[in-house]
Amino acid sequence: MTVTPALARRAWGTLETLHVTGFFAPEVAAAYERFGVPATRAGYFAARASAFGPCRPELVVATFYVFAPRLVHAAVPAVWDAAAPEEWAAARREAVATRLHDVLGEPDVAEAVDLAREACAGLTPAGRPVHAAWSAVPWPEDPLLQLWHAGLLLREHRGDGHVAALQTSGLDPVEALVTGGLASGSVDFVRSTRGWTDAEWDAGVQRLRLRGLVDDDGLTQAGRDLRDDVETVTDLLATEGWAHLGPQKVERLVELVTPLRQRMLDSGTLPDWIRSRG
């Protein structure tokens, strides 16, 4: 038996629900505020890029892919003047721990952590810059945070592959946001958080219209097919950690984490467009 891309995607999605608390929990936003950097999404850029060290904005633009360069440049390197990268990382980690324990309590996650760490041990860094940077960061001691950190490693590994799939498909950052937002029902969220102007967004939509990928009703069949292709390539590129774990252990990890995932979905921590996907 082998781990199929569909099983790998299900396992990633189960852990991802815990990991994305670091992007939406109010405790995290409050933790970033103490550093006093007023730029939009400064904390997001600083914490997620902290594994790179005090990097230049161009590295964030390149590796995060879908954010408007001006949004990144407004925050980086100002965030490093306000606090060292490890301080931003610690702020996120501590705030995430608070939210996880508030929602999930003190569950016994020892078996799930062992399985998740085994999956992470099968991830390789070549061609995965964000994952590679985070793979050098020590694991936290708190068991729930270890599960969250495993989700981070698996998510960034998958994300690096997703960028490659987007580029292969010929979708530039704005086009990736338009098509991805239409496919997932998150257009309002991505349009309001990625920093592109209305003119830049409309130009991206027009480019997609010329390619026959969108129309007045949203994604065309060709557009849906292209997004399906992007997700298929992303899934294929993201299987190695799960293949290392093996199908029976992957299924067991999904079984163990699913109740925690559901409690997080039910907690109201995550936006509606994530909760509606279950």
Side-chain angles (χ1 to χ4, degrees):
M1 293 179 62
T2 60
V3 174
T4 65
L7 176 57
R9 184 181 183 87
R10 184 157 61 95
W12 159 75
T14 303
L15 276 176
E16 175 71 354
T17 305
L18 301 184
H19 174 253
V20 294
T21 58
F23 301 137
F24 298 106
E27 294 90 343
V28 176
Y32 296 156
E33 287 177 2
R34 71 173 184 256
F35 296 119
V37 181
T40 302
R41 301 190 70 78
Y44 171 90
F45 294 129
R48 191 175 167 214
S50 61
F52 288 133
C55 62
R56 295 181 58 83
E58 290 81 5
L59 180 59
V60 178
V61 171
T63 55
F64 289 17
Y65 195 66
V66 292
F67 289 91
R70 73 177 66 84
L71 193 68
V72 178
H73 281 260
V76 181
V79 290
W80 313 135
D81 295 331
E86 56 268 23
E87 293 180 75
W88 287 99
R92 177 173 69 162
R93 186 171 58 248
E94 292 162 9
V96 166
T98 297
R99 172 57 51 151
L100 290 176
H101 285 285
D102 282 352
V103 172
L104 304 177
E106 301 294 336
D108 181 0
V109 294
E111 183 182 358
V113 167
D114 286 345
L115 292 170
R117 292 188 68 152
E118 187 176 345
C120 290
L123 301 175
T124 56
R128 314 276 184 159
V130 184
H131 164 74
W134 278 104
S135 69
V137 173
W139 285 75
E141 295 183 4
D142 177 270
L144 271 181
L145 271 181
Q146 288 186 34
L147 206 56
W148 172 81
H149 187 75
L152 182 157
L153 293 176
L154 289 156
R155 193 266 181 135
E156 297 295 10
H157 182 275
R158 180 183 178 87
D160 288 327
H162 186 59
V163 169
L166 290 170
Q167 291 181 306
T168 300
S169 72
L171 293 173
D172 68 26
V174 176
E175 295 162 359
L177 290 172
V178 173
T179 55
L182 289 171
S184 65
S186 61
V187 169
D188 290 343
F189 173 76
V190 297
R191 185 167 186 174
S192 64
T193 58
R194 272 42 180 175
W196 302 97
T197 66
D198 288 344
E200 289 166 335
W201 186 273
D202 292 344
V205 172
Q206 182 60 25
R207 292 193 297 275
L208 293 168
R209 285 181 179 274
L210 292 174
R211 292 174 63 182
L213 300 176
V214 301
D215 58 22
D216 290 342
D217 296 322
L219 289 174
T220 63
Q221 185 60 53
R224 289 190 292 272
D225 290 344
L226 183 65
R227 283 305 308 195
D228 288 345
D229 288 345
V230 167
E231 296 306 319
T232 296
V233 173
T234 301
D235 289 341
L236 288 170
L237 293 174
T239 58
E240 67 173 359
W242 306 112
H244 176 77
L245 186 59
Q248 291 182 330
K249 290 183 178 180
V250 173
E251 291 280 11
R252 177 59 175 162
L253 179 60
V254 171
E255 178 185 3
L256 291 168
V257 178
T258 291
L260 305 179
R261 174 180 184 269
Q262 192 59 52
R263 284 158 68 181
M264 185 58 69
L265 289 171
D266 292 342
S267 72
T269 300
L270 306 178
D272 291 340
W273 62 269
I274 290 181
R275 298 205 305 271
S276 66
R277 294 187 298 181

